[in-house]
């Protein structure tokens, strides 16, 4: 007669406790890359975008020693729409024995309505007066902006910019922009960082000025929420035998008599999902730029697939729609649901993998609503011979 073994690895990691809903809807950067290389020009270290959906690409694998070497492979990718971010402030930090302390903040003269909405719980019911006095003070020349920038150059060791997304460009329901602090790395000294940050004030910063194709980045975001879940789903514990009294999707013993309490190591039912997570070293496969008005979108065309097409699949991305701005293609999956704000950061721990050519041969743009067959509407029309009904086309008269 067999019996259950006496020891086994525990179910679920304790490194993610407490498993509760995060306070932050967007990915919060707790650490920035170390600013050690003074030979590089001043640059930003992070960016934000909105998750649109997933597709797949066909690429040549160049990995000596692997069984896939010099063969084709299909890989899943995630598309993140990333309209240019706008810099609206500069913050200077002083290093102290207890960490960084902000010395002063310099704001731009003009702030968009989308970012001013972020300072209110209810924009409609408020007086909408945020930053109106500051803008008047700057316009009258009473704000000592140059003096504050000089203080940052003299006393600070870390310089960061305050930037916000242009969420109105993404055609989402939300009007309130997401705001983030982005550290400025590089530059010969602090003055170079401040001058670089000052040159970006009130200007849109595109994603291709921060990241490049083939670069490894860290992805920060909030996972999809699933609400209240039991121990079997939440922790992966084993179900009890079929004839167990009072249910079997439970933990049989939740602890000894003494100490007379349930310890944190015991799996319990509770919240699953909507947790803040950071994933390191995700590779950027491609960066697409916004298409000018009147031009054809060919951002998803490759050297081997000459079909002129954009990244938006037929019928749009499910639960998102059409991409009309700059976008970033990330290899693999990304946390969160569609439309969720995602933070991209320059990697903290550099990848030790051999740099492999991207070698993208094909990007799939077929419909994601079911089994997509055609890559473009023109391809479908050529195959079926059906002309789509337009506003000038008259419907058939009903037979009487």
């Amino acid at each position: 007669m067999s019996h259950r073994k006496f020891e086994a690895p525990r179910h679920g990691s304790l490194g993610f406790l407490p498993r509760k809903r995060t306070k932050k809807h967007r990915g919060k950067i707790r650490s920035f890359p170390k600013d050690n290389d003074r030979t590089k020009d001043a640059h930003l270290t992070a960016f934000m975008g909105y998750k649109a959906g997933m597709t797949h690409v066909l690429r040549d694998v160049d990995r000596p020693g692997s069984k896939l070497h010099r063969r084709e492979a299909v890989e899943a990718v995630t598309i993140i729409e990333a309209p240019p971010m706008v810099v609206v402030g500069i913050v200077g930090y002083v290093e102290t024995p207890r960490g960084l302390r902000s010395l002063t903040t310099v704001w731009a003269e003009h702030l968009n309505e989308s970012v001013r909405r972020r300072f209110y719980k209810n924009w409609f019911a408020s007086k909408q007066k945020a930053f109106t006095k500051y803008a008047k003070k700057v316009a009258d020349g009473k704000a000592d902006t140059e003096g504050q920038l000089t203080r940052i150059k003299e006393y600070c060791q870390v310089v960061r910019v305050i930037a916000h997304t242009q969420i109105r460009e993404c055609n989402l329901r939300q009007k309130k922009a997401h705001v983030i602090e982005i550290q400025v790395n590089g530059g010969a000294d602090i003055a170079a960082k401040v001058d670089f940050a000052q040159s970006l004030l009130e200007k849109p910063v595109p994603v291709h000025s921060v990241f490049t194709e083939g670069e490894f980045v860290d992805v920060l975001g909030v996972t999809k929420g699933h609400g209240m879940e039991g121990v079997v789903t939440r922790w992966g514990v084993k179900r009890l035998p079929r004839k167990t009294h009072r249910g079997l999707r439970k933990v049989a013993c939740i602890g000894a008599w003494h100490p007379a309490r349930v310890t944190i190591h015991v799996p319990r039912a509770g919240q699953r999902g909507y947790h803040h997570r950071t994933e390191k070293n995700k590779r950027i496969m491609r960066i697409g730029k916004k298409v000018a008005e009147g031009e054809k979108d060919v951002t998803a065309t490759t050297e081997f697939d000459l079909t002129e097409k954009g990244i938006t699949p037929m019928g749009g991305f499910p639960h998102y729609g059409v991409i009309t701005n700059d976008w970033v293609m990330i290899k693999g999956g990304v946390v969160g649901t569609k439309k969720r704000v995602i933070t991209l950061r320059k990697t903290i721990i550099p990848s030790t993998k051999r740099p492999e050519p991207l070698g993208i041969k094909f990007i799939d743009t077929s419909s994601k609503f079911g089994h997509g067959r055609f890559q473009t509407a023109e391809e479908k029309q050529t195959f079926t011979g059906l002309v789509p009904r337009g506003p000038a086309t008259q419907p058939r008269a009903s037979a009487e």
Side-chain angles (χ1 to χ4, degrees):
M1 179 179 176
S2 63
H3 63 85
R4 192 183 188 281
K5 59 183 180 180
F6 297 110
E7 295 179 356
R10 67 159 290 111
H11 290 275
S13 173
L14 297 177
F16 297 101
L17 291 181
R19 297 197 179 205
K20 62 181 183 181
R21 290 171 57 86
T22 181
K23 298 178 183 177
K24 302 165 282 293
H25 180 72
R26 64 168 177 83
K28 179 181 179 181
I29 300 178
R30 296 185 175 95
S31 300
F32 284 95
K34 290 185 178 180
D35 187 18
N36 296 329
D37 194 354
R38 298 292 183 180
T39 59
K40 293 183 178 180
D41 295 333
H43 59 275
L44 300 181
T45 55
F47 206 86
M48 296 177 76
Y50 298 91
K51 180 177 177 179
M54 296 189 70
T55 184
H56 65 267
V57 299
L58 180 72
R59 58 179 292 265
D60 283 330
V61 178
D62 185 5
R63 201 177 304 154
S66 171
K67 292 182 178 179
L68 287 176
H69 183 50
R70 294 182 179 176
R71 300 183 66 180
E72 293 180 343
V74 176
E75 294 177 348
V77 293
T78 302
I79 308 299
I80 297 176
E81 189 171 13
M85 298 186 71
V86 180
V87 176
V88 293
I90 305 172
V91 189
Y93 287 91
V94 179
E95 291 180 351
T96 69
R98 293 183 180 143
L100 296 177
R101 176 179 66 84
S102 62
L103 180 69
T104 184
T105 304
V106 177
W107 291 90
E109 181 180 355
H110 305 97
L111 269 70
N112 194 8
E113 179 192 311
S114 62
V115 67
R116 288 168 55 223
R117 284 174 176 267
R118 177 56 60 182
F119 304 116
Y120 290 95
K121 184 76 173 178
N122 189 334
W123 172 260
F124 177 77
S126 67
K127 294 184 179 180
Q128 305 175 6
K129 303 282 285 183
F131 280 89
T132 53
K133 290 183 179 179
Y134 180 81
K136 187 175 184 301
K137 188 185 292 186
V138 174
D140 296 341
K142 297 180 180 179
D144 189 16
T145 303
E146 292 299 328
Q148 298 298 328
L149 292 175
T150 304
R151 287 185 66 203
I152 296 177
K153 293 179 182 179
E154 289 181 1
Y155 302 109
C156 294
Q157 289 79 42
V158 176
V159 178
R160 295 176 182 173
V161 299
I162 302 173
H164 70 85
T165 61
Q166 297 189 74
I167 196 168
R168 288 288 187 98
E169 301 289 330
C170 294
N171 294 323
L172 304 179
R173 280 186 181 178
Q174 184 173 327
K175 301 176 183 178
K176 187 183 296 187
H178 292 91
V179 184
I180 189 175
E181 272 192 14
I182 304 174
Q183 185 163 305
V184 179
N185 282 2
D189 52 9
I190 296 298
K193 299 178 191 292
V194 175
D195 293 338
F196 171 75
Q198 187 179 5
S199 67
L200 297 178
L201 278 179
E202 299 187 22
K203 294 182 181 178
V205 180
V207 64
H208 57 79
S209 67
V210 181
F211 300 114
T212 58
E213 292 184 357
E215 185 177 356
F216 286 91
V217 296
D218 298 340
V219 178
L220 300 88
V222 178
T223 62
K224 181 191 291 187
H226 297 277
M228 180 80 173
E229 291 281 15
V231 289
V232 174
T233 302
R234 191 182 187 216
W235 292 95
V237 300
K238 191 175 179 62
R239 294 193 310 162
L240 298 177
R242 182 184 61 83
K243 296 181 69 175
T244 304
H245 186 46
R246 293 180 181 171
L248 50 80
R249 296 178 65 88
K250 298 183 176 185
V251 175
C253 178
I254 60 173
W257 193 313
H258 290 289
R261 53 192 165 272
V262 181
T263 64
I264 63 170
H265 312 92
V266 179
R268 307 291 278 165
Q271 173 71 26
R272 183 173 78 91
Y274 204 72
H275 307 310
H276 186 280
R277 293 291 180 262
T278 301
E279 201 167 359
K280 298 176 183 176
N281 290 331
K282 308 279 287 186
R283 198 173 192 196
I284 295 179
M285 304 294 286
R286 176 172 282 202
I287 296 177
K289 297 182 181 180
K290 181 178 180 179
V291 180
E293 188 175 352
E295 295 184 4
K296 187 166 185 178
D297 190 358
V298 294
T299 53
T301 302
T302 64
E303 184 181 352
F304 296 89
D305 179 24
L306 300 180
T307 304
E308 295 183 346
K309 57 183 180 180
I311 193 62
T312 305
M314 290 189 62
F317 282 101
H319 307 287
Y320 190 88
V322 180
I323 290 182
T324 57
N325 299 283
D326 299 347
W327 51 268
V328 181
M329 179 188 292
I330 304 290
K331 180 180 177 180
V334 169
V335 297
T337 61
K338 280 79 172 177
K339 303 180 183 178
R340 181 147 298 171
V341 60
I342 302 295
T343 303
L344 305 177
R345 176 189 66 190
K346 287 186 179 291
T347 182
I348 284 186
I349 303 175
S351 175
T352 57
K353 295 181 180 179
R354 170 186 169 271
E356 182 181 347
L358 296 177
I360 297 178
K361 303 178 71 173
F362 170 77
I363 301 174
D364 182 64
T365 57
S366 61
S367 174
K368 306 305 173 187
F369 288 92
H371 302 283
R373 180 176 179 181
F374 305 103
Q375 297 294 315
T376 61
E378 292 80 4
E379 182 180 328
K380 180 178 180 180
Q381 181 178 338
T382 303
F383 181 84
T384 59
L386 300 177
V387 179
R389 178 179 294 179
T393 306
Q394 297 296 328
R396 293 181 181 180
S398 58
E400 295 181 357

